[in-house]
Amino acid sequence: QLFMVFLVSLSYLVCWSPAGDDLMIQDACNVIPTMGDIAAWLSDPSILGMLIWTGLITTAFTIYMETLALKTLSAAETTLIFSTEPLFGAAFAAVVANECLSEGGYIGSALIIGGCVISGIDWSQHFGRHGDIQD
């Protein structure tokens, strides 16, 4: 999981991050940092501190703690948490950044909540062993 985070972050750095003030974002993919650029970045204490913070604390440590916490939950509880993660992200963005959901966001939220409700229903109470409806 950490390796995939690294690969996605590296591809963002190379292809989509602005390379300089005079370059457009789409031109950044044509500018690959040289080893000298990378050495200069790594020798800057503030950049090195940001790399350590985002790499070790906000990524590796949180994934490790999440793994420890999820060991105590059942599969159904874990699925519920991961299924509703986009809802918590949207709610956080609405509160902190004053973001608004589009119609598609509301539809997706309703589908996620509906799926969680349906998956939580004990269907054996409503249907018999072979799918017969119980009275």
Side-chain angles (χ1 to χ4, degrees), residues 35 45 56 82:
M35 289 306 287
L56 293 178
F82 280 125

Side-chain angles (χ1 to χ4, degrees), residues 44-64:
D44 184 357
S46 64
I47 292 177
L48 193 58
M50 288 184 272
L51 285 173
I52 290 171
W53 177 260
T54 57
L56 293 178
I57 304 299
T58 63
T59 303
F61 182 68
T62 55
I63 289 173
Y64 174 73

Side-chain angles (χ1 to χ4, degrees), residues 51-124:
L51 285 173
I52 290 171
W53 177 260
T54 57
L56 293 178
I57 304 299
T58 63
T59 303
F61 182 68
T62 55
I63 289 173
Y64 174 73
M65 294 302 292
E66 180 182 69
T67 304
L68 288 179
L70 291 177
K71 286 181 182 179
T72 63
L73 299 175
S74 69
E77 292 169 329
T78 303
T79 302
L80 181 67
I81 289 171
F82 280 125
S83 297
T84 57
E85 188 175 358
L87 300 178
F88 291 114
F92 184 77
V95 171
V96 173
N98 202 24
E99 292 283 329
C100 295
L101 284 177
S102 65
E103 288 180 19
Y106 284 115
I107 292 169
S109 298
L111 290 172
I112 290 172
I113 292 170
C116 290
V117 168
I118 289 172
S119 70
I121 295 174
D122 184 11
W123 293 103
S124 65

